[in-house]
Amino acid sequence: MNHNQQPGDGTHEDDAALSDFLASLMDYTPTIPDELVEHYLAKSGFQCPDVRLIRLVAVATQKFVAEVATDALQQCKARQAAVVKDKRDKQQKDKRLILTMEDLSRALREHGVNVKHQEYFADSPSTGMDPASRDE
């Protein structure tokens, strides 16, 4: 704490900024619907009639999902770059990025969420592709 600053100097500004932010949530429509957020909050035992709080949770969730998706994309790019490096003599015809459960699991682990998938999950780059287009 700065000793030259009086306690409470920034409190009014912080309260005003928080009030403005909460008011702006009333005009914002998040990607995750209010009903879905309310459902999961109620499922965990939390009920709140304030729409602003529901939307705040939706915005935080949206940010989390976006960060995990971005990290998973980076994991996918790094994995596929390593495969291309290993197969220098074989030219890659398909430049599509294929996100696997392993990529997603690694990204979630970075955010403190441990995911274990079942053995029956199809998790190879050729999964779901037309057999004629597979490079095996």
Side-chain angles (χ1 to χ4, degrees), residues 2 11 14 38 69 74 78 80-81 83 89 99 113 116 121 124:
N2 187 351
T11 305
D14 291 343
E38 287 175 354
Q74 296 307 317
Q80 288 188 336
V83 169
D89 57 334
L99 182 68
V113 179
K116 293 183 181 182
F121 275 11
S124 72

Side-chain angles (χ1 to χ4, degrees), residues 8-128:
D9 280 353
T11 305
H12 180 66
E13 292 172 8
D14 291 343
D15 288 345
L18 181 60
S19 295
D20 290 344
F21 175 70
L22 289 174
S24 70
L25 287 175
M26 292 303 293
D27 298 331
Y28 178 72
T29 304
T31 304
I32 302 169
D34 294 342
E35 295 80 13
L36 183 65
V37 175
E38 287 175 354
H39 169 75
Y40 281 104
L41 286 176
K43 210 172 162 184
S44 66
F46 183 81
Q47 292 188 356
C48 179
D50 193 352
V51 176
R52 298 174 302 174
L53 185 59
I54 301 296
R55 290 199 179 153
L56 181 62
V57 171
V59 169
T61 304
Q62 185 176 331
K63 181 181 183 303
F64 176 76
V65 169
E67 287 177 355
V68 169
T70 300
D71 290 349
L73 176 63
Q74 296 307 317
Q75 292 286 339
C76 177
K77 286 180 179 179
R79 178 182 46 78
Q80 288 188 336
V83 169
V84 171
K85 192 181 260 188
D86 290 343
K87 298 179 181 181
R88 289 181 186 164
D89 57 334
K90 190 176 186 180
Q91 202 164 58
Q92 292 280 330
K93 293 179 186 176
D94 196 8
K95 300 286 184 185
R96 292 182 301 165
L97 295 174
I98 301 169
L99 182 68
T100 64
M101 190 65 187
E102 183 180 330
D103 299 327
L104 183 58
S105 295
R106 286 182 182 170
L108 284 167
R109 198 174 312 123
E110 289 178 8
H111 290 275
V113 179
N114 292 322
V115 175
K116 293 183 181 182
H117 61 280
Q118 300 297 322
E119 295 297 322
Y120 58 83
F121 275 11
D123 213 13
S124 72
S126 62
T127 302

